[in-house]
Coordinates of all heavy atoms in Angstrom, one line a residue:
M1 N 17.4 254.3 113.0 CA 17.1 255.0 111.7 C 18.4 254.8 110.7 O 18.2 254.7 109.5 CB 16.9 256.5 111.9 CG 16.6 257.2 110.6 SD 16.3 259.0 110.7 CE 15.7 259.5 112.3
E2 N 19.6 254.8 111.3 CA 20.8 254.6 110.5 C 20.7 253.3 109.7 O 21.2 253.2 108.6 CB 22.0 254.7 111.3 CG 22.2 256.1 111.8 CD 23.5 256.2 112.7 OE1 24.3 255.3 112.7 OE2 23.7 257.2 113.3
S3 N 20.1 252.2 110.4 CA 20.0 251.0 109.7 C 19.2 251.0 108.4 O 19.4 250.2 107.5 CB 19.5 249.9 110.7 OG 18.2 250.2 111.0
L4 N 18.2 251.9 108.4 CA 17.4 252.0 107.2 C 18.1 252.8 106.1 O 17.7 252.6 104.9 CB 16.1 252.7 107.5 CG 15.1 251.9 108.3 CD1 13.9 252.8 108.7 CD2 14.6 250.7 107.5
L5 N 19.2 253.5 106.4 CA 19.9 254.2 105.4 C 21.0 253.3 104.8 O 21.5 253.5 103.7 CB 20.6 255.4 106.0 CG 19.7 256.6 106.3 CD1 20.5 257.7 107.0 CD2 19.1 257.1 105.0
G6 N 21.3 252.2 105.5 CA 22.3 251.3 105.0 C 23.6 251.4 105.7 O 23.9 252.4 106.5
E7 N 24.5 250.7 105.3 CA 25.8 250.7 105.9 C 26.5 252.0 105.5 O 26.5 252.4 104.3 CB 26.7 249.5 105.3 CG 27.8 249.1 106.2 CD 28.4 247.8 105.7 OE1 27.7 246.8 105.8 OE2 29.6 247.9 105.3
N8 N 27.2 252.7 106.4 CA 27.9 253.9 106.1 C 26.9 255.0 105.6 O 27.4 255.9 104.9 CB 29.1 253.7 105.1 CG 30.1 252.8 105.7 OD1 30.4 252.7 106.9 ND2 30.7 252.0 104.8
G9 N 25.7 254.9 105.9 CA 24.7 256.0 105.5 C 24.5 256.0 104.0 O 24.0 257.0 103.5
K10 N 24.6 254.9 103.3 CA 24.3 254.9 101.9 C 22.8 255.1 101.6 O 22.0 254.4 102.2 CB 24.8 253.5 101.2 CG 26.3 253.4 101.2 CD 26.7 252.1 100.6 CE 28.2 251.9 100.7 NZ 28.6 250.7 100.2
R11 N 22.5 256.0 100.8 CA 21.1 256.3 100.5 C 20.4 255.2 99.6 O 21.1 254.7 98.7 CB 21.0 257.6 99.8 CG 21.3 258.8 100.6 CD 21.0 260.0 99.8 NE 21.9 261.1 100.3 CZ 23.0 261.5 99.7 NH1 23.4 261.0 98.6 NH2 23.6 262.5 100.2
F12 N 19.2 255.0 99.9 CA 18.3 254.2 99.0 C 18.8 252.7 98.8 O 18.4 252.2 97.8 CB 18.2 254.9 97.6 CG 17.8 256.3 97.7 CD1 18.7 257.3 97.1 CD2 16.7 256.8 98.2 CE1 18.4 258.6 97.2 CE2 16.3 258.1 98.2 CZ 17.2 259.0 97.7
C13 N 19.5 252.2 99.8 CA 20.0 250.8 99.6 C 18.8 249.8 99.6 O 18.9 248.9 98.8 CB 21.0 250.5 100.6 SG 20.4 250.6 102.3
V14 N 17.9 250.0 100.5 CA 16.7 249.0 100.5 C 15.9 249.2 99.2 O 15.5 248.3 98.7 CB 15.9 249.3 101.8 CG1 14.7 248.4 101.8 CG2 16.7 249.2 103.1
S15 N 15.6 250.5 98.9 CA 14.7 250.6 97.7 C 15.4 250.2 96.4 O 14.7 249.7 95.5 CB 14.3 252.1 97.6 OG 15.4 252.9 97.4
R16 N 16.7 250.3 96.3 CA 17.4 249.8 95.1 C 17.3 248.3 95.1 O 17.2 247.7 94.0 CB 18.8 250.3 95.1 CG 19.0 251.7 94.6 CD 20.4 252.1 94.5 NE 20.9 252.5 95.8 CZ 22.2 252.7 96.0 NH1 23.1 252.5 95.1 NH2 22.6 253.0 97.2
A17 N 17.5 247.7 96.2 CA 17.4 246.2 96.2 C 16.0 245.7 95.9 O 15.8 244.8 95.1 CB 17.7 245.7 97.6
A18 N 15.0 246.5 96.4 CA 13.6 246.1 96.1 C 13.3 246.3 94.6 O 12.6 245.4 94.0 CB 12.6 247.0 96.9
L19 N 13.8 247.4 94.1 CA 13.5 247.7 92.6 C 14.2 246.6 91.8 O 13.7 246.2 90.8 CB 14.0 249.1 92.3 CG 13.7 249.6 90.9 CD1 12.2 249.7 90.8 CD2 14.3 251.0 90.7
S20 N 15.4 246.2 92.2 CA 16.0 245.2 91.4 C 15.3 243.9 91.5 O 15.2 243.2 90.5 CB 17.4 245.0 92.1 OG 18.1 243.9 91.4
M21 N 14.7 243.6 92.6 CA 14.0 242.3 92.8 C 12.7 242.4 92.0 O 12.2 241.4 91.4 CB 13.7 242.0 94.2 CG 14.8 241.5 95.0 SD 15.4 239.9 94.5 CE 16.9 240.3 93.6
M22 N 12.1 243.6 92.0 CA 10.8 243.7 91.2 C 11.0 243.5 89.7 O 10.1 243.2 89.0 CB 10.2 245.0 91.4 CG 9.5 245.2 92.8 SD 8.6 246.7 93.0 CE 9.9 247.7 93.5
G23 N 12.3 243.8 89.2 CA 12.5 243.6 87.8 C 13.0 242.3 87.4 O 13.2 242.0 86.2
T24 N 13.1 241.4 88.4 CA 13.6 240.0 88.1 C 12.4 239.2 87.6 O 11.4 239.1 88.2 CB 14.1 239.4 89.4 OG1 15.1 240.2 89.9 CG2 14.7 238.0 89.1
P25 N 12.5 238.5 86.4 CA 11.4 237.8 85.9 C 11.1 236.5 86.6 O 12.1 235.9 87.1 CB 11.8 237.5 84.5 CG 13.3 237.6 84.5 CD 13.7 238.5 85.6
K26 N 9.8 236.1 86.7 CA 9.4 234.8 87.2 C 9.8 234.5 88.7 O 10.1 233.4 89.0 CB 9.9 233.7 86.3 CG 9.4 233.8 84.9 CD 9.8 232.7 84.1 CE 9.4 232.9 82.6 NZ 9.9 231.9 81.7
L27 N 9.9 235.5 89.4 CA 10.2 235.4 90.9 C 9.0 235.9 91.8 O 9.3 236.8 92.5 CB 11.5 236.0 91.3 CG 12.8 235.4 90.7 CD1 14.0 236.1 91.0 CD2 12.9 234.0 91.0
G28 N 7.9 235.4 91.5 CA 6.7 235.9 92.2 C 6.8 235.8 93.7 O 6.3 236.7 94.4
Y29 N 7.4 234.8 94.2 CA 7.5 234.7 95.7 C 8.3 235.9 96.3 O 8.1 236.3 97.4 CB 8.1 233.4 96.1 CG 9.5 233.1 95.7 CD1 10.6 233.4 96.6 CD2 9.8 232.5 94.5 CE1 11.9 233.2 96.2 CE2 11.1 232.3 94.1 CZ 12.1 232.6 94.9 OH 13.4 232.4 94.6
L30 N 9.4 236.3 95.5 CA 10.1 237.5 96.0 C 9.3 238.8 96.0 O 9.4 239.6 96.8 CB 11.4 237.7 95.2 CG 12.5 236.7 95.4 CD1 13.6 236.9 94.5 CD2 13.0 236.6 96.8
L31 N 8.3 238.9 95.0 CA 7.5 240.0 95.0 C 6.6 240.1 96.2 O 6.3 241.1 96.7 CB 6.7 240.0 93.7 CG 7.5 240.3 92.4 CD1 6.6 240.2 91.2 CD2 8.2 241.6 92.5
E32 N 6.1 238.9 96.6 CA 5.3 238.9 97.8 C 6.1 239.3 99.0 O 5.6 240.0 99.9 CB 4.8 237.4 98.1 CG 3.8 237.0 97.0 CD 3.5 235.5 97.2 OE1 3.7 234.9 98.3 OE2 2.8 235.0 96.3
I33 N 7.4 239.0 99.1 CA 8.2 239.4 100.2 C 8.4 241.0 100.1 O 8.3 241.6 101.2 CB 9.6 238.7 100.1 CG1 9.4 237.2 100.5 CG2 10.6 239.4 101.2 CD1 10.6 236.4 100.3
I34 N 8.6 241.5 98.9 CA 8.7 243.0 98.8 C 7.4 243.6 99.2 O 7.4 244.6 99.9 CB 9.2 243.3 97.4 CG1 10.6 242.8 97.2 CG2 9.0 244.8 97.2 CD1 11.1 242.9 95.8
D35 N 6.3 243.0 98.9 CA 5.0 243.6 99.3 C 4.9 243.6 100.8 O 4.4 244.6 101.4 CB 3.9 242.8 98.7 CG 3.6 243.0 97.2 OD1 4.2 244.1 96.7 OD2 2.9 242.2 96.6
E36 N 5.4 242.6 101.5 CA 5.3 242.6 102.9 C 6.3 243.6 103.5 O 6.0 244.1 104.6 CB 5.7 241.2 103.4 CG 4.6 240.2 103.1 CD 5.0 238.8 103.6 OE1 6.0 238.6 104.3 OE2 4.3 237.8 103.1
C37 N 7.3 243.9 102.8 CA 8.3 244.9 103.3 C 8.1 246.3 102.8 O 9.0 247.1 102.8 CB 9.7 244.5 103.0 SG 10.2 242.8 103.7
A38 N 7.0 246.6 102.2 CA 6.8 247.8 101.4 C 7.0 249.1 102.4 O 7.5 250.0 101.9 CB 5.4 247.9 100.8
V39 N 6.5 248.9 103.6 CA 6.6 250.1 104.6 C 8.1 250.4 104.8 O 8.5 251.5 104.8 CB 5.9 249.8 105.9 CG1 6.2 250.9 106.9 CG2 4.4 249.6 105.7
L40 N 8.9 249.4 105.0 CA 10.3 249.6 105.2 C 11.0 250.2 103.9 O 11.9 251.1 104.0 CB 11.1 248.3 105.5 CG 10.7 247.8 106.9 CD1 11.5 246.5 107.1 CD2 11.1 248.7 108.0
V41 N 10.6 249.7 102.8 CA 11.1 250.3 101.5 C 10.8 251.7 101.4 O 11.6 252.6 101.1 CB 10.7 249.5 100.3 CG1 11.0 250.1 99.0 CG2 11.1 248.0 100.4
C42 N 9.5 252.1 101.6 CA 9.0 253.5 101.5 C 9.7 254.3 102.5 O 10.1 255.5 102.2 CB 7.5 253.5 101.7 SG 6.7 252.8 100.2
L43 N 10.0 253.8 103.7 CA 10.6 254.6 104.8 C 12.1 254.9 104.3 O 12.6 256.0 104.6 CB 10.6 253.8 106.1 CG 11.2 254.6 107.3 CD1 10.5 255.9 107.5 CD2 11.0 253.7 108.5
N44 N 12.7 253.9 103.7 CA 14.1 254.1 103.2 C 14.1 255.2 102.1 O 15.0 256.0 102.1 CB 14.6 252.8 102.6 CG 16.0 252.9 101.9 OD1 16.2 252.8 100.7 ND2 17.0 253.1 102.8
V45 N 13.1 255.2 101.2 CA 13.1 256.3 100.3 C 12.8 257.6 100.9 O 13.5 258.6 100.5 CB 11.9 256.0 99.2 CG1 11.7 257.1 98.3 CG2 12.2 254.7 98.4
V46 N 11.9 257.7 101.8 CA 11.6 259.0 102.5 C 12.8 259.5 103.2 O 13.2 260.7 103.1 CB 10.4 258.9 103.4 CG1 10.2 260.1 104.3 CG2 9.2 258.6 102.5
L47 N 13.5 258.7 103.9 CA 14.7 259.1 104.7 C 15.8 259.5 103.7 O 16.5 260.5 104.0 CB 15.2 258.0 105.6 CG 14.4 257.7 106.8 CD1 14.9 256.4 107.5 CD2 14.3 258.9 107.7
G48 N 16.0 258.7 102.6 CA 17.0 259.1 101.7 C 16.7 260.5 101.0 O 17.6 261.4 100.9
L49 N 15.5 260.7 100.6 CA 15.1 261.9 100.0 C 15.2 263.1 101.0 O 15.6 264.2 100.6 CB 13.7 261.9 99.4 CG 13.5 261.0 98.2 CD1 12.0 260.9 97.9 CD2 14.3 261.5 97.1
S50 N 14.9 262.9 102.2 CA 15.0 264.0 103.3 C 16.5 264.3 103.4 O 16.8 265.6 103.6 CB 14.4 263.5 104.6 OG 15.1 262.5 105.2
F51 N 17.4 263.4 103.4 CA 18.8 263.7 103.5 C 19.3 264.5 102.2 O 20.1 265.4 102.4 CB 19.6 262.5 103.8 CG 19.6 262.1 105.1 CD1 19.0 260.9 105.6 CD2 20.3 262.8 106.2 CE1 18.9 260.5 106.9 CE2 20.2 262.4 107.5 CZ 19.5 261.3 107.9
V52 N 18.8 264.2 101.0 CA 19.1 264.9 99.9 C 18.6 266.3 100.0 O 19.3 267.3 99.6 CB 18.5 264.2 98.6 CG1 18.6 265.1 97.4 CG2 19.2 262.9 98.4
L53 N 17.4 266.5 100.5 CA 16.8 267.8 100.7 C 17.7 268.7 101.7 O 17.8 269.9 101.5 CB 15.3 267.7 101.1 CG 14.4 267.3 100.1 CD1 13.0 267.1 100.6 CD2 14.4 268.2 98.9
I54 N 18.1 268.0 102.7 CA 19.0 268.7 103.7 C 20.3 269.2 103.0 O 20.7 270.3 103.2 CB 19.3 267.8 104.9 CG1 18.1 267.6 105.8 CG2 20.5 268.4 105.7 CD1 18.2 266.6 106.8
E55 N 20.8 268.3 102.2 CA 22.0 268.8 101.4 C 21.7 269.9 100.4 O 22.5 270.8 100.3 CB 22.6 267.6 100.6 CG 23.3 266.6 101.5 CD 23.8 265.4 100.7 OE1 23.9 265.5 99.4 OE2 24.1 264.4 101.3
I56 N 20.6 269.9 99.8 CA 20.2 271.0 98.9 C 20.0 272.3 99.8 O 20.4 273.3 99.3 CB 18.9 270.7 98.1 CG1 19.2 269.6 97.1 CG2 18.3 271.9 97.5 CD1 17.9 269.0 96.5
H57 N 19.4 272.2 100.9 CA 19.1 273.3 101.8 C 20.4 273.9 102.2 O 20.6 275.2 102.4 CB 18.3 272.9 103.0 CG 18.0 274.0 103.9 ND1 17.2 275.1 103.6 CD2 18.5 274.3 105.2 CE1 17.0 275.9 104.5 NE2 17.9 275.5 105.6
D58 N 21.5 273.1 102.4 CA 22.8 273.6 102.8 C 23.7 274.0 101.6 O 24.9 274.2 101.8 CB 23.6 272.5 103.6 CG 22.9 272.1 104.9 OD1 22.3 273.0 105.5 OD2 23.2 271.0 105.4
W59 N 23.0 274.2 100.5 CA 23.6 274.7 99.3 C 24.7 273.8 98.7 O 25.7 274.2 98.1 CB 24.2 276.1 99.4 CG 23.1 277.1 99.8 CD1 22.8 277.5 101.0 CD2 22.2 277.7 98.9 NE1 21.7 278.4 100.9 CE2 21.4 278.6 99.6 CE3 22.0 277.6 97.4 CZ2 20.4 279.3 99.0 CZ3 21.0 278.4 96.9 CH2 20.2 279.2 97.6
S60 N 24.5 272.5 99.0 CA 25.5 271.5 98.4 C 25.0 271.2 96.9 O 23.8 271.0 96.8 CB 25.5 270.3 99.2 OG 26.0 270.5 100.5
G61 N 25.9 271.1 96.0 CA 25.5 270.7 94.7 C 25.3 269.2 94.6 O 26.1 268.4 95.3
L62 N 24.3 268.7 93.9 CA 24.0 267.3 93.8 C 24.7 266.7 92.6 O 24.7 267.4 91.5 CB 22.6 267.0 93.8 CG 21.8 267.4 95.0 CD1 20.3 267.1 94.8 CD2 22.3 266.6 96.2
S63 N 25.3 265.6 92.7 CA 25.9 265.0 91.5 C 24.8 264.3 90.8 O 23.7 263.9 91.2 CB 26.9 263.9 92.0 OG 26.3 262.8 92.5
P64 N 25.1 264.1 89.5 CA 24.2 263.3 88.6 C 23.8 261.9 89.2 O 22.7 261.5 89.0 CB 24.8 263.2 87.2 CG 25.8 264.4 87.2 CD 26.2 264.6 88.6
V65 N 24.7 261.3 89.8 CA 24.5 260.0 90.4 C 23.4 260.1 91.5 O 22.5 259.3 91.6 CB 25.8 259.4 91.0 CG1 25.6 258.1 91.8 CG2 26.9 259.2 89.9
V66 N 23.5 261.1 92.4 CA 22.5 261.3 93.4 C 21.1 261.5 92.8 O 20.1 261.0 93.2 CB 22.9 262.4 94.4 CG1 21.8 262.7 95.4 CG2 24.2 262.0 95.1
M67 N 21.1 262.4 91.7 CA 19.8 262.6 91.1 C 19.2 261.4 90.5 O 18.1 261.1 90.5 CB 19.9 263.7 90.1 CG 20.3 265.1 90.7 SD 20.3 266.6 89.7 CE 21.3 266.1 88.3
E68 N 20.1 260.5 89.9 CA 19.6 259.2 89.4 C 19.1 258.4 90.4 O 18.1 257.7 90.2 CB 20.7 258.6 88.6 CG 20.3 257.4 87.9 CD 21.5 256.7 87.1 OE1 22.4 257.4 86.6 OE2 21.4 255.5 86.8
Q69 N 19.8 258.3 91.6 CA 19.3 257.5 92.7 C 18.0 257.9 93.3 O 17.1 257.1 93.5 CB 20.3 257.5 93.8 CG 21.6 256.8 93.6 CD 22.7 257.0 94.6 OE1 22.5 257.9 95.5 NE2 23.7 256.2 94.6
C70 N 17.7 259.2 93.2 CA 16.4 259.8 93.7 C 15.4 259.3 92.7 O 14.3 258.9 93.1 CB 16.5 261.3 93.7 SG 17.5 262.0 95.0
Q71 N 15.7 259.4 91.4 CA 14.7 259.0 90.3 C 14.4 257.5 90.5 O 13.2 257.1 90.4 CB 15.3 259.3 89.0 CG 14.3 258.9 87.8 CD 14.9 259.2 86.5 OE1 16.0 259.7 86.3 NE2 14.0 259.1 85.5
E72 N 15.4 256.7 90.8 CA 15.1 255.3 90.9 C 14.3 255.0 92.2 O 13.5 254.1 92.2 CB 16.5 254.4 91.0 CG 17.2 254.4 89.7 CD 18.6 253.8 89.9 OE1 19.0 253.5 91.0 OE2 19.3 253.6 88.8
A73 N 14.6 255.7 93.3 CA 13.8 255.6 94.5 C 12.4 255.9 94.3 O 11.5 255.2 94.8 CB 14.5 256.4 95.6
L74 N 12.1 257.0 93.6 CA 10.7 257.3 93.3 C 10.0 256.3 92.4 O 8.9 256.1 92.5 CB 10.7 258.8 92.7 CG 11.0 259.9 93.7 CD1 11.2 261.2 93.0 CD2 10.1 260.0 94.9
S75 N 10.8 255.7 91.4 CA 10.3 254.7 90.6 C 9.9 253.5 91.5 O 8.8 252.9 91.2 CB 11.3 254.3 89.5 OG 11.5 255.4 88.6
C76 N 10.7 253.2 92.4 CA 10.4 252.1 93.3 C 9.1 252.3 94.0 O 8.2 251.4 94.1 CB 11.5 251.8 94.3 SG 11.3 250.4 95.3
M77 N 8.9 253.6 94.5 CA 7.6 253.9 95.2 C 6.5 253.8 94.2 O 5.4 253.2 94.6 CB 7.7 255.3 95.7 CG 8.7 255.6 96.8 SD 8.2 255.3 98.4 CE 7.1 256.8 98.6
Y78 N 6.7 254.2 93.0 CA 5.6 254.1 92.0 C 5.2 252.7 91.8 O 4.0 252.3 91.8 CB 6.0 254.8 90.7 CG 5.1 254.6 89.6 CD1 3.9 255.4 89.5 CD2 5.2 253.6 88.7 CE1 3.0 255.2 88.5 CE2 4.4 253.4 87.6 CZ 3.2 254.2 87.5 OH 2.3 254.0 86.5
Y79 N 6.2 251.8 91.7 CA 5.8 250.4 91.4 C 5.2 249.7 92.6 O 4.5 248.7 92.4 CB 7.1 249.6 91.0 CG 7.6 250.0 89.5 CD1 8.8 250.5 89.3 CD2 6.7 250.0 88.4 CE1 9.2 250.9 88.1 CE2 7.0 250.4 87.2 CZ 8.3 250.8 87.0 OH 8.8 251.1 85.8
L80 N 5.6 250.2 93.8 CA 4.9 249.6 95.0 C 3.4 249.9 95.1 O 2.7 249.2 95.7 CB 5.6 250.0 96.2 CG 7.0 249.3 96.5 CD1 7.7 250.0 97.7 CD2 6.8 247.9 96.8
L81 N 3.1 251.1 94.5 CA 1.6 251.5 94.5 C 0.8 250.6 93.7 O -0.2 250.2 93.8 CB 1.5 252.9 94.0 CG 2.1 254.0 94.9 CD1 2.0 255.3 94.2 CD2 1.4 254.0 96.3

């Protein structure tokens, strides 16, 4: 599970990479690869969001950067649909 969170537990690393690739023009073959990896991308988003929810439950304040990462992760899920 830690490997899906990324190195040192960085949240949304897989979904950020996928979202970046989806925004790249004229790279259709990469989009096919992302489609094949959609389950891993979604799992990365779900795990990242669950850790954010745990932090909220522990009364930790979220930085604007974390909230922006959550928004990007959910955008990635939207584009995968």
Side-chain angles (χ1 to χ4, degrees):
M1 183 177 341
E2 291 178 15
S3 63
L4 287 172
L5 286 175
E7 206 173 293
N8 299 324
K10 293 182 182 176
R11 292 184 204 103
F12 310 117
C13 59
V14 176
S15 60
R16 281 186 280 170
L19 189 59
S20 176
M21 287 293 105
M22 285 188 276
T24 306
K26 299 181 183 177
L27 293 176
Y29 64 93
L30 287 177
L31 290 177
E32 291 174 14
I33 292 170
I34 291 172
D35 285 343
E36 292 177 13
C37 299
V39 172
L40 292 177
V41 172
C42 292
L43 187 56
N44 176 251
V45 171
V46 169
L47 288 175
L49 289 174
S50 69
F51 281 108
V52 169
L53 290 174
I54 288 169
E55 289 180 11
I56 291 171
H57 182 70
D58 292 338
W59 297 99
S60 298
L62 295 179
S63 71
V65 172
V66 173
M67 294 188 312
E68 185 177 335
Q69 289 174 348
C70 291
Q71 182 179 3
E72 289 174 353
L74 291 173
S75 294
C76 183
M77 296 267 290
Y78 173 79
Y79 290 126
L80 284 174
L81 293 175

